[in-house]
Amino acid sequence: MPDFNVTIQPTNNENIVKFVTNSFLTQAKSYEFINIDDAKPSPIAQQLFFFPFVKTVYISQNFIAVEKFSFEATKVTWNDVQDEIAANISEYINTGKPVIAEEADKANKKTPITIYAESTPNPSVMKFVANKALANEIYEFKNVSEAKHSPLAKSIFNFPFVKEVFISANYVSIAKQEGFEWHEFVNELRGFIKDYIENGKTIFDDEILNSEKEATSPSKDKERQYTDIEKEIISILNEYVKPAVEGDGGNIAFNSYNKDTKIVKVILQGACSGCPSSTQTLKNGIEMMLRDMLNNNALTVEAING
C-alpha cells in the first residue's frame, strides 16, 4: 500500500483549509458532514469532529476540507492546529481504513446518473454534463496515450470518432474527428458515459495527481512567483472570463505577460481549443476587458490553442 502524503492548502475562506492527498479518496463523489452524528458514513470525519473547533468536514476526490468555527468563537487559528489535523488525516489514511464506509459508498453508487449533451460554440466539440462532480481540476487529453491515467478518457478514445477528451467539474467535452457528424453517435456516447459513471468505475488513477500531463490552473503553480500585474491579470481571468468559458465546455489559462511588449498570452482548452471563432472572439473580448480594468490601452492578448 503506497504512503499517503497530505499537503496543507489554504482557501479563500479563512476558516476553511484543504488537506490534499496524493491519492484519490473518492471517485466522482463528494460528502459534507456538519456534526459527528452526521459523519457516521465516514470514520475519519467522525474522528476530526473530536477537535472542538471543527464545524464542518468536506470530503471530495483527493482532499478533505475542514471548516473551523470563527476565531471569535474559539480563539483558535489554523496556524495553531493545521499541522495536527494533517498528521491526524495522514495517520488514519495510512492505516488502510476506509474514508467512507462501504455501506455508504454502495448507497452512493446507486444514485441515478443523468447525462445531457450540450452543443458548444465549437461545432467539433460536444459537452456531456453530469448531475454530479467528476473532477476537482482540469484534465485535457489530446490522444489515448495522454489518457493512460484516466480510465474514463481512455475508454472514450475507443470510439473511432473521438479526437480529444477534456474533463472538468461536472462535464466531459469531446472533440470529434473530421468526417463524422454528431447526430450519428451522440446518444451512444451519452449512454456510455452515463453507464460508466453509474457503475462506479474509476475516472482517474492516483498517478494523474502527479502526472506531467495534468493540466492545472495557474493558481496551483506553486513554483512560480507572479508579479503584481500578472496576479491582477489572473484574477480578472478567473473572475470574469473563466465562468463563461467553462459554461461552453472549455477553459482559459494564463500563460505569460511580457512587460516590454505588453503582450498577454492565454491558453485555450477544451471546446475553446481549435474553435473557428473562439480565438479571435476571446482575444478581442479579453483584450478590451484587460485594457479597461488595468487602464492600459497598449496591452494586447494572444490566444494559444492548448
Side-chain angles (χ1 to χ4, degrees), residues 9-286:
Q9 188 177 110
T11 70
N12 292 330
N13 185 328
E14 63 180 11
N15 291 320
I16 298 177
V17 166
K18 290 170 66 174
F19 299 87
V20 183
T21 70
N22 62 333
S23 187
F24 284 102
L25 307 176
T26 72
Q27 287 280 342
K29 294 180 285 290
S30 296
Y31 303 85
E32 178 181 347
F33 306 110
I34 59 174
N35 55 51
I36 194 168
D37 291 328
D38 186 43
K40 287 180 180 178
S42 174
I44 178 57
Q46 283 195 310
Q47 187 170 304
L48 292 173
F49 276 110
F50 282 109
F51 291 93
F53 53 83
V54 171
K55 180 181 180 182
T56 311
V57 176
Y58 309 89
I59 299 177
S60 179
Q61 292 201 329
N62 68 316
F63 70 83
I64 296 176
V66 178
E67 180 182 10
K68 70 175 184 63
F69 289 101
S70 65
F71 176 78
E72 290 74 15
T74 64
K75 305 300 181 184
V76 171
T77 69
W78 274 118
N79 285 334
D80 298 328
V81 297
Q82 62 186 17
D83 289 338
E84 185 178 3
I85 291 285
N88 190 278
I89 293 172
S90 180
E91 181 180 356
Y92 178 89
I93 295 176
N94 278 296
T95 64
K97 296 177 183 177
V99 173
I100 301 296
E102 186 177 353
E103 294 77 13
D105 199 37
K106 287 181 178 178
N108 188 275
K109 287 180 181 178
K110 293 178 182 178
T111 303
I113 299 297
T114 60
I115 300 286
Y116 69 86
E118 182 179 283
S119 59
T120 73
N122 187 341
S124 295
V125 177
M126 187 70 69
K127 181 180 177 184
F128 296 85
V129 185
N131 63 332
K132 67 189 305 181
L134 305 179
N136 290 326
E137 300 297 340
I138 297 163
Y139 301 92
E140 186 172 35
F141 309 101
K142 295 290 188 179
N143 52 58
V144 68
S145 63
E146 290 188 1
K148 62 182 179 180
H149 297 317
S150 173
L152 171 58
K154 191 173 181 179
S155 297
I156 292 173
F157 273 111
N158 287 330
F159 292 91
F161 46 78
V162 172
K163 181 180 180 182
E164 298 174 8
V165 179
F166 180 87
I167 304 175
S168 180
N170 66 325
Y171 65 87
V172 180
S173 288
I174 298 174
K176 68 177 180 66
Q177 301 279 3
E178 291 185 9
F180 293 92
E181 298 298 331
W182 278 116
H183 68 82
E184 298 173 344
F185 51 79
V186 65
N187 287 333
E188 179 185 6
L189 203 48
R190 183 177 62 83
F192 174 81
I193 296 172
K194 178 182 184 298
D195 291 342
Y196 190 100
I197 299 171
E198 207 161 47
N199 288 325
K201 294 182 179 180
T202 300
I203 296 175
F204 301 110
D205 293 332
D206 290 345
E207 289 82 356
I208 203 169
L209 294 174
N210 298 311
S211 171
E212 292 180 355
K213 297 298 183 181
E214 180 183 353
T216 58
S217 63
S219 61
K220 288 195 70 179
D221 186 358
K222 299 180 177 61
E223 302 300 323
R224 181 172 175 184
Q225 297 297 316
Y226 291 107
T227 64
D228 289 342
I229 184 66
E230 287 176 327
K231 290 177 182 178
E232 285 188 76
I233 292 170
I234 291 170
S235 177
I236 292 170
L237 292 177
N238 288 343
E239 184 173 356
Y240 298 101
V241 182
K242 270 181 178 287
V245 172
E246 289 173 352
D248 286 334
N251 181 59
I252 184 167
F254 173 78
N255 177 266
S256 64
Y257 172 69
N258 187 311
K259 64 179 181 180
D260 296 321
T261 62
K262 310 298 185 204
I263 294 176
V264 176
K265 291 185 178 181
V266 296
I267 300 173
L268 305 180
Q269 298 173 304
C272 298
S273 180
C275 178
S277 61
S278 67
T279 301
Q280 193 61 30
T281 302
L282 282 172
K283 169 182 157 50
N284 291 342
I286 297 169

